[in-house]
Amino acid sequence: WQIGLRRQVHLATQKLRSLNASGLATSRAVRDGILVFDTDRRVTQADGKLAEMFNSGFVVGATADATLQNKLLHLFARPEEFREFWANAFASENLARTAEFASQAVQGWLSVYTGPVVDDQGANVGRIWTFDDITHRKKLDMESLHSQKINAIGRLAGGIAHDFNNLLHVIGSSLEILTVEKAPAKVSEQLATVSSAIERASELTHQLLTFSKPGQLKTEAFDANELVARVAQTVRSRLSESIHIRTSPETGVWPVEGDVGQLEHVLVNLCNNAGDAIPQRPGNIEIRVCNTTHESLGDCVQLAVIDDG
């Protein structure tokens, strides 16, 4: 009888050790910090990840109230919210819930789960808490939301640009009728100015439509000297008269393939920035064009905007 009893104790001990090892391996495999209480609301398990996450050790046998007050509460940006969550969980034996809290411990966000611990008979034997650092996930969610907002703004801008472009076509058509009719020289000059402004506005709407629908670029071969001359004329009308705009074209410059409207937009912005960089008037802005060779690109055309600001 004694031999049989010893054998049963030995087998039960081995089974218990196996269960403990399995539970320990499981808790180590889970990235969350784990905190377990028994039915008397005393700590029975606190894994090392929890202590590492909060930079503080948890005392086995400590009460739930002491653990909350001494170890957990100060870790949250809004401690009263977590206190209420904690109290509600212990007040309801079968409650299982997950909540997210801003944390000062990880300088970000924590996902906290709590649920009952039951044995193989379904009886409640305690409560488990897990703490997961979700700061990186929150950051990705915010970036995704920001990207969705940018896409929505792009679609809105594209719709507005499309409608505005239709209005420009109506204005341009009416202007062509007026231009055909005989008009004094001064009126014809003003009509030409209006026509030029309409063309410029049409280019801007084209750029808006391009940015709202990425990938749909209008590429064509063009002369960089002609582009620079057109940009210089546009910039002269925008900047102060005391700022002198000059170009340095090169004879025999190679043709360039790309989106003329976008490149013109870039050069205009560079010239505007150059004008802002000139603290004292008068000043000079030069737009240069030349053939060159780049070590990784090979033969290419270089555009340069130079100011004395």
Side-chain angles (χ1 to χ4, degrees), residues 158-176:
I160 295 174
H162 182 74
D163 293 340
F164 186 66
N165 203 36
N166 291 337
L167 295 176
L168 288 176
H169 281 303
V170 174
I171 297 173
S173 299
S174 302
L175 190 63
E176 288 179 1

Side-chain angles (χ1 to χ4, degrees), residues 17-30 34 45-48:
R17 287 176 178 172
S18 177
L19 289 173
N20 287 337
S22 177
L24 182 61
T26 301
S27 66
R28 286 177 177 174
V30 176
I34 299 175
Q45 180 184 345
D47 70 345

Side-chain angles (χ1 to χ4, degrees), residues 14-43:
Q14 284 186 327
K15 184 177 180 181
L16 181 60
R17 287 176 178 172
S18 177
L19 289 173
N20 287 337
S22 177
L24 182 61
T26 301
S27 66
R28 286 177 177 174
V30 176
R31 63 180 181 178
D32 302 0
I34 299 175
L35 185 63
V36 182
F37 292 86
D38 59 17
T39 53
D40 294 327
R41 299 186 182 180
R42 290 187 176 274
V43 178

